[in-house]
Each structure stands twice: as C-alpha cells, then as structure tokens.
Amino acid sequence: MSSRAQVLFQVGAWAWVVTGIGHLAIIALLLGRPATPAAETAVLDTMRAHRMSMMGLSRDLLGLFRGFSVAMGLVLALHGAVCVLAAPALAALPAVVALNAAVSLALLAIAVRAFPPPPIVTMLLATACFGAALVVR
C-alpha cells in the first residue's frame, strides 16, 4: 500500500468526522432555538402528538427523529475518528477501503436527495478519496 493511499483514506475519514460533528452541531443549534414560523411550530407539535408503540415502548415521532439524528451524527463522527486513528492498518485492507467507499457513495446518494450542500460536498469528497485510495494501492 502506498502512502498516497493512506493519505486519501485519512482525508475520506476526516470528511466523515467533519460531517458527523457538523450534523451534531446543527442538531444542538436547532434544539436550542424556539420554532418561529407557524408552519414549523405546527409540524413540531404534530410530531410530538403522534406516538408510536415499538416493542412495548411508546415514543413520539419528534423524539424518534431527534434520536435518529443524534445517533447518525455520533456514528459518522466516531467511525470516521476510528478510521483516522487506525488509518495505517485499515487503509492496507482493500475490503475496508471498498466498504468505506460504498458507504460514502450510499450516503452521498441520500445527501443529494435529502440534505443541503455541506453533506453533499463532504460525502462527495469521502467517496472520491476512498475510491482513489483503492485505485492508487
């Protein structure tokens, strides 16, 4: 494995870290401000009012949405951090690099359909870097 492949792997991993931390920061900012437009308040109230029972537990839709959002940000940031810290070993494993490229590509497709530009850019960067790390090995 070349040092170029390792650097590309690390840049892709850092893109995941940045995306996850950015996601958590946005969630924290949104939780800390009151909903202002009437339409936004109505949607949040509806989400709070709609409850779902799952495996004996009852949760409102807003709590589920926020919980999934926090989990997504944590997983992305922490998995990216593990990849940064273990880059010398992980970048040498083609299966790990290919899996990271595939996950980044899937997240890029989701971001293009559902998210604003920042995660589109970071997932495009991650996909390109993990893919290039496979090629330059």
Side-chain angles (χ1 to χ4, degrees):
M1 179 202 53
S2 73
S3 63
R4 179 185 277 170
Q6 184 178 328
V7 168
L8 287 164
F9 184 89
Q10 287 175 309
V11 172
W14 272 111
W16 282 8
V17 171
V18 168
T19 305
I21 290 172
H23 190 81
L24 291 170
I26 293 296
I27 294 166
L29 288 172
L30 292 176
L31 289 176
R33 70 163 179 83
T36 47
E40 184 179 340
T41 302
V43 168
L44 295 177
D45 289 343
T46 301
M47 290 175 78
R48 279 186 198 96
H50 183 74
R51 300 197 67 81
M52 298 175 65
S53 292
M54 297 180 300
M55 297 181 214
L57 298 174
S58 178
R59 300 288 187 253
D60 67 70
L61 194 56
L62 184 59
L64 287 170
F65 175 78
R66 288 179 173 163
F68 285 132
S69 291
V70 169
M72 171 66 184
L74 279 173
V75 167
L76 197 56
L78 294 177
H79 181 71
V82 167
C83 287
V84 168
L85 294 172
L90 296 178
L93 301 171
V96 171
V97 181
L99 180 62
N100 283 3
V103 169
S104 292
L105 183 60
L107 291 173
L108 174 60
I110 293 166
V112 165
R113 290 210 31 115
F115 299 139
I120 295 170
V121 171
T122 55
M123 287 304 100
L124 180 61
L125 176 65
T127 302
C129 286
F130 289 130
L134 279 172
V135 172
V136 301
R137 294 180 42 73

